[in-house]
């Protein structure tokens, strides 16, 4: 240990007391935010619930768009895995907090009380390693949320493109159907004229039967030809109807109306992801503050510790313990919220959207009702109202 006649110790003590008061105030504010602010833990549950329901609604609306359905499934799985990782990281925060409070900080306190400086330094280094690992993992998950948000934005762009293309194809198909209808109308007019001519011919045949005996063979051939045409005519109507039904079947011309709804859902998911990313950024800031709080007196270990410096250091450890307890409890609450969402919220991905219109409508109305019943979210309320109207 170094000696400086006491002056250096007093200066460091004065500086540490100033830092202690400042950081205590900042940490208190951040802890209150973490435990009470609707932007943090209190909003995690409705945000997580709303995310799963919005993915479910989007998935349901993409039953006739295989490419978009596949993309949406990928995004939903990404989100589910992100929530699983969030739960695991929060559990790591909980266990690290518990280890600091139950083992490491008490060992540090005992080392200081017994003037075991080397042991105290080792304890601090271990605490630094633990906290640094969590901070690194928090930063990594923030990047994952950002990447997922980017992927959702890209999917939104895909939906917009598909919607525009589908609407264009729908207009073109409508034009083709109209043209086909015109052809059918013309064909029916021609058939009417042919039948009229047949009737007139048969009348003339009956009137002039006697004088046209020599043309019997020709008339028979004509009748035979017309008979074939008459035999074909009954099949033309069903044939045209089959062509029309095929062209207008829902599977071949999917209605793009729900793609606008999917677009709105994905936009809401983006806002929720930003909200969750801010939560993790706040956790990172809080960890940084707790790290400084935990090591507020480490410089004192480099000088001779008198009763004043020792008392200050022990007090800082005691304060740090309380903060880590509160932090651990908050992380446990947040972990349980993510855990709830990882069990059943994404089971809809196990099957394809229902084909039966009645079943589809029932599932759609069920999702919408659940969305309406989730507690209001100031960040998403405007868009949610637009969806649920």
């Amino acid at each position: 240990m170094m000696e400086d006649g006491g002056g250096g110790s007093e200066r460091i003590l004065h500086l540490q007391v100033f830092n202690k008061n400042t950081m205590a105030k900042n940490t208190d504010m951040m802890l209150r935010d973490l435990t009470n602010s609707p932007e943090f833990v209190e909003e995690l549950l409705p945000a997580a619930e709303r995310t799963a329901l919005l993915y479910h609604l989007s998935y349901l609306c993409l039953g006739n768009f295989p490419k978009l359905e596949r993309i949406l499934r990928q995004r939903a799985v990404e989100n589910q895995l992100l929530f699983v990782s969030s739960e695991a990281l929060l559990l790591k925060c909980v266990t690290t907090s518990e280890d600091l409070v139950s083992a490491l900080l008490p060992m540090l306190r005992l080392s200081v009380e017994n003037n075991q400086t080397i042991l105290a330094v080792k304890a601090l280094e271990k605490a630094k390693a633990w906290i640094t690992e969590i901070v690194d993992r928090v930063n990594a998950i923030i990047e994952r949320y950002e990447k997922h948000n980017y992927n959702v934005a890209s999917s939104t762009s895909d939906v917009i493109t598909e919607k525009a293309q589908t609407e264009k194809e729908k207009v073109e198909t409508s034009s083709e159907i109209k043209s086909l209808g015109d052809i059918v109308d013309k064909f029916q007019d021609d058939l009417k004229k042919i039948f009229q001519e047949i009737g007139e011919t048969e009348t003339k045949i009956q009137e002039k039967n006697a004088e046209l005996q020599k043309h019997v063979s020709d008339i028979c051939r004509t009748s035979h030809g017309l008979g074939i045409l008459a035999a074909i005519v009954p099949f033309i109507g069903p044939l045209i109807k089959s062509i029309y039904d095929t062209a207008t079947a829902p599977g071949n011309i999917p209605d793009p109306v729900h793609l606008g709804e999917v677009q709105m859902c994905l936009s809401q998911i983006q806002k929720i992801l930003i909200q969750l990313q801010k939560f993790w950024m706040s956790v990172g800031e809080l960890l940084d503050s707790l790290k400084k709080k935990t090591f507020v007196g480490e410089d004192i270990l480099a000088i001779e510790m008198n009763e004043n410096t020792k008392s200050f250091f022990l007090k800082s450890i005691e304060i740090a313990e309380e903060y880590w307890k509160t932090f651990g409890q908050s992380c446990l609450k947040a972990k349980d919220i993510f855990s709830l969402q990882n069990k059943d919220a994404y089971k809809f991905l196990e099957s394809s959207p229902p084909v039966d219109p009645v079943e589809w409508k029932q599932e759609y109305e069920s999702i919408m009702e659940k969305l309406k019943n989730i507690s209001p979210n100031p960040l998403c309320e405007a868009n949610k109202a637009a969806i649920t109207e």
Side-chain angles (χ1 to χ4, degrees), residues 170-220:
K170 188 175 182 181
V171 171
E172 292 175 350
T173 303
S174 299
S175 177
E176 291 174 1
I177 292 174
K178 184 179 182 305
S179 299
L180 182 61
D182 293 340
I183 294 173
V184 171
D185 291 341
K186 185 178 183 303
F187 188 66
Q188 288 176 340
D189 290 340
D190 292 342
L191 284 178
K192 185 177 179 181
K193 291 178 181 179
I194 291 173
F195 285 130
Q196 185 177 355
E197 291 175 359
I198 290 173
E200 292 173 355
T201 302
E202 289 179 347
T203 300
K204 290 178 181 180
I205 289 173
Q206 291 175 3
E207 292 176 351
K208 298 184 182 287
N209 185 51
E211 64 181 89
L212 295 179
Q213 284 295 330
K214 61 178 180 177
H215 300 298
V216 167
S217 345
D218 294 338
I219 294 174
C220 287

Side-chain angles (χ1 to χ4, degrees), residues 276-345:
L276 295 177
Q277 187 178 1
K278 287 181 178 178
F279 162 77
W280 280 112
M281 290 173 69
S282 298
V283 171
E285 291 173 5
L286 182 57
L287 279 168
D288 185 60
S289 179
L290 289 177
K291 181 179 180 180
K292 293 175 182 177
K293 173 59 61 181
T294 304
F295 307 127
V296 69
E298 65 176 327
D299 290 339
I300 297 176
L301 295 177
I303 62 174
E304 182 179 1
M305 295 184 67
N306 55 38
E307 289 303 316
N308 287 332
T309 56
K310 182 185 293 188
S311 175
F312 163 71
F313 193 55
L314 292 174
K315 183 62 177 177
S316 69
I317 295 174
E318 180 182 344
I319 294 173
E321 283 179 337
E322 293 303 314
Y323 286 139
W324 280 109
K325 284 181 184 178
T326 304
F327 176 71
Q329 292 167 358
S330 299
C331 289
L332 180 61
K333 183 177 180 181
K335 182 202 78 70
D336 291 341
I337 290 171
F338 281 106
S339 178
L340 279 173
Q341 285 300 299
N342 290 333
K343 292 182 179 179
D344 302 319

Side-chain angles (χ1 to χ4, degrees), residues 239-299:
L239 178 62
I240 297 299
K241 183 178 184 300
S242 174
I243 295 173
Y244 182 85
D245 289 344
T246 300
T248 56
N252 295 317
I253 307 167
D255 196 332
V257 64
H258 292 300
L259 292 184
E261 198 164 2
V262 174
Q263 179 184 342
M264 193 176 297
C265 288
L266 293 178
S267 295
Q268 282 200 53
I269 290 172
Q270 280 186 266
K271 291 184 178 181
I272 294 173
L273 289 173
I274 291 173
Q275 184 183 7
L276 295 177
Q277 187 178 1
K278 287 181 178 178
F279 162 77
W280 280 112
M281 290 173 69
S282 298
V283 171
E285 291 173 5
L286 182 57
L287 279 168
D288 185 60
S289 179
L290 289 177
K291 181 179 180 180
K292 293 175 182 177
K293 173 59 61 181
T294 304
F295 307 127
V296 69
E298 65 176 327
D299 290 339

